[in-house]
Amino acid sequence: MAAPGENLRINPDRLWDTLMDMAKVGPGVAGGNNRQTLTDEDSEGRHLFAGWCAKAGCKMGVDSMGNMFARREGTDPDALPVYVGSHLDTQPTGGKYDGILGVLGGLEVIRSLNDLGIKTKHPIVVTNWTNEEGTRFAPAMLASGVFAGMHTEDWAKDRVDADGKRFGDELRRIGWEGDEKVGERKMHAFFELHIEQGPILEAENKQIGVVTHGQGLWWLEVTLTGKDAHTGSTPMNMRVNAGLGMARITEAVHRIAMDHQPAAVGAVGQANVYPNSRNVIPGKAVFTIDFRSPDLAKLTSMREKLEAEAAQIAADLGLGITIEPVGHFDPVTFDEGCVTAIRDAAERLGYSHMDIVSGAGHDACWINRMYPTAMVMCPCVDGLSHNEAEEISKEWAAAGADVLLHAVVETAGVAE
Ligand code: HGY
Ligand code: MN
Ligand code: MN
């Protein structure tokens, strides 16, 4: 398809104002957002997004996992749509842009095409994927994973949060369980705009990241079982301390990731000890390990080495241990054609750009298994994300949305 003219641009002020309006929904306590999936705040954000899409002339569809699809007609109704989008749910101490820039950047593409009276051949659909973050209900990218056939809908709907609430019940409670069968929609291509969530683009002074690959991931939930006992009167040699086991395994996670450098990361982000009382030796510890690498062999090796070492640590301390994989995807190679559309758009628009591997997981990682997919990234201040202080500039947001607009228009084709 013919490439758009370099003067085809989005409206930066409108995009920024829309981002700030969405940020008012489910505010955090330090300037960011706490709009966790399937909460009332998530529902409020969904209604706000749906209202904007209706005003932009889109027809909304919602599937049985709550994924939202706002469709702008093309001149060929039978042509498979070009999808754009990301997620509106946030971390509990999330930023205003992680995911949200991709959904509202997609809406800005529609609004700009409407302003310019441009009709595309293929329809365009803006998407909000349910539960990308995987914080309240593991794993991450849950609903796009069901859409891509990686999980069954029943398994996904049986996931429970820390309070024992079921995903399926919460989706129904907030009124966003749609009537479309998840996964039935077919795509011509999928593009996701996202903040980098790392320091590379800013450090390299680049406005655009052309995402060629994505890291693979393992989330391993470890449960250690020891014995509750008095922290004062129990002799050291009689203790069966699950908290000590967790500390040793947490250190091992860091060391194993360092042993697999370059391009490997590992940490424990979620940890609970029980009974969590100041003067009780923890008889139980439950925590999640997050290993990632763009290199499948390294990803596998880190998991194998950790499992062997954790078993030994547990044995040394007399602890029971279970390790349950609660999230996984292999490293991702995005579609060459879609990646080229993004790189050429950045070039045409005069934006500095570089190829980059995504450190974070995204819905695009699953959709890429089904349809031609690619991502465009913009920098974020100090590479900070999953933190309420997450920040980007209006210029970075606009550059990313301009590139998204061009990639979409080129792929959807401007109607004659
Ligand atoms: O965990 C991730 O990479 C994503 O932010 N859900
Ligand atoms: Mn995200
Ligand atoms: Mn995130």
Side-chain angles (χ1 to χ4, degrees):
M1 300 278 189
E6 61 82 31
N7 57 350
L8 179 67
R9 311 255 172 172
I10 57 103
N11 179 327
D13 293 334
R14 180 173 57 196
L15 173 58
W16 193 255
D17 292 348
T18 303
L19 285 164
M20 294 305 114
D21 286 345
M22 180 58 76
K24 292 174 192 144
V25 178
V29 295
N33 276 107
N34 178 10
R35 196 171 55 242
Q36 296 182 59
T37 197
L38 308 189
T39 58
D40 294 339
E41 293 77 14
D42 180 20
S43 179
E44 188 187 340
R46 286 164 173 264
H47 283 297
L48 180 60
F49 171 60
W52 286 333
C53 292
K55 278 208 195 90
C58 296
K59 183 170 174 296
M60 184 65 75
V62 183
D63 73 16
S64 52
M65 285 295 292
N67 297 312
M68 298 172 72
F69 304 101
R71 177 184 172 110
R72 180 183 196 255
E73 283 309 331
T75 54
D76 177 354
D78 300 329
L80 289 180
V82 173
Y83 282 67
V84 296
S86 190
H87 61 93
L88 291 174
D89 67 308
T90 75
Q91 288 283 329
T93 55
K96 300 191 285 282
Y97 312 99
D98 168 6
I100 299 113
L101 178 62
V103 178
L104 301 184
L107 172 63
E108 180 52 36
V109 164
I110 300 290
R111 287 170 165 173
S112 297
L113 293 175
N114 289 347
D115 289 348
L116 298 165
I118 294 176
K119 278 301 237 178
T120 54
K121 176 176 181 288
H122 292 256
I124 296 170
V125 176
V126 187
T127 307
N128 169 33
W129 297 107
T130 303
N131 189 32
E132 188 281 342
E133 290 295 355
T135 302
R136 186 180 174 200
F137 299 99
M141 297 101 78
L142 182 62
S144 53
V146 175
F147 185 94
M150 304 311 297
H151 316 298
T152 67
E153 183 174 347
D154 290 347
W155 179 83
K157 287 187 168 173
D158 280 339
R159 311 300 290 157
V160 294
D161 68 5
D163 301 325
K165 289 186 180 155
R166 264 183 83 253
F167 180 101
D169 298 340
E170 284 293 278
L171 179 64
R172 207 161 300 126
R173 179 186 67 80
I174 66 167
W176 282 96
E177 184 177 42
D179 50 12
E180 283 188 21
K181 179 142 181 44
V182 58
E184 284 203 328
R185 284 175 173 259
K186 308 290 175 236
M187 300 182 180
H188 180 57
F190 177 69
F191 290 98
E192 182 168 1
L193 165 61
H194 206 287
I195 62 171
E196 179 199 340
Q197 299 184 292
I200 299 168
L201 293 176
E202 188 184 39
E204 298 293 330
N205 197 22
K206 301 291 183 197
Q207 294 162 297
I208 294 293
V210 179
V211 187
T212 56
H213 299 81
Q215 284 199 120
L217 163 150
W218 274 112
W219 279 0
L220 304 171
E221 184 173 276
V222 181
T223 300
L224 295 174
T225 311
K227 190 174 169 194
D228 293 9
H230 197 299
T231 50
S233 52
T234 309
M236 290 305 280
N237 64 355
M238 288 176 65
R239 297 181 179 210
V240 193
N241 186 340
L244 177 59
M246 179 172 79
R248 288 186 181 173
I249 292 171
T250 301
E251 195 286 330
V253 167
H254 181 84
R255 179 169 24 80
I256 288 167
M258 295 308 289
D259 291 347
H260 284 76
Q261 293 306 306
V265 291
V268 170
Q270 183 186 53
N272 291 291
V273 292
Y274 302 89
N276 200 27
S277 165
R278 288 180 187 81
N279 45 7
V280 178
I281 298 164
K284 183 178 172 188
V286 182
F287 52 105
T288 305
I289 295 165
D290 180 323
F291 274 133
R292 307 197 193 199
S293 174
D295 177 325
L296 184 57
K298 286 190 177 182
L299 191 62
T300 307
S301 168
M302 287 195 285
R303 175 181 172 183
E304 288 169 352
K305 289 199 166 40
L306 183 280
E307 288 181 335
E309 193 160 338
Q312 187 56 55
I313 288 167
D316 294 347
L317 296 173
L319 296 167
I321 183 170
T322 62
I323 300 181
E324 183 199 354
V326 292
H328 173 63
F329 52 86
D330 284 346
V332 169
T333 301
F334 288 113
D335 175 80
E336 186 68 33
C338 291
V339 170
T340 302
I342 286 172
R343 191 181 295 114
D344 289 355
E347 197 63 36
R348 183 184 315 127
L349 288 157
Y351 291 130
S352 56
H353 58 90
M354 62 183 282
D355 288 4
I356 192 167
V357 175
S358 174
H362 302 284
D363 297 305
C365 297
W366 282 145
I367 305 308
N368 182 62
R369 299 175 73 97
M370 305 282 289
Y371 303 107
T373 298
M375 294 186 72
V376 47
M377 284 187 172
C378 76
C380 46
V381 175
D382 300 335
L384 189 64
S385 183
H386 284 195
N387 182 309
E388 291 207 40
E390 177 186 279
E391 201 47 77
I392 64 174
S393 71
K394 185 193 291 191
E395 292 67 33
W396 286 344
D402 279 340
V403 169
L404 184 72
L405 173 64
H406 275 234
V408 168
V409 167
E410 182 172 355
T411 308
V414 175
E416 304 306 318

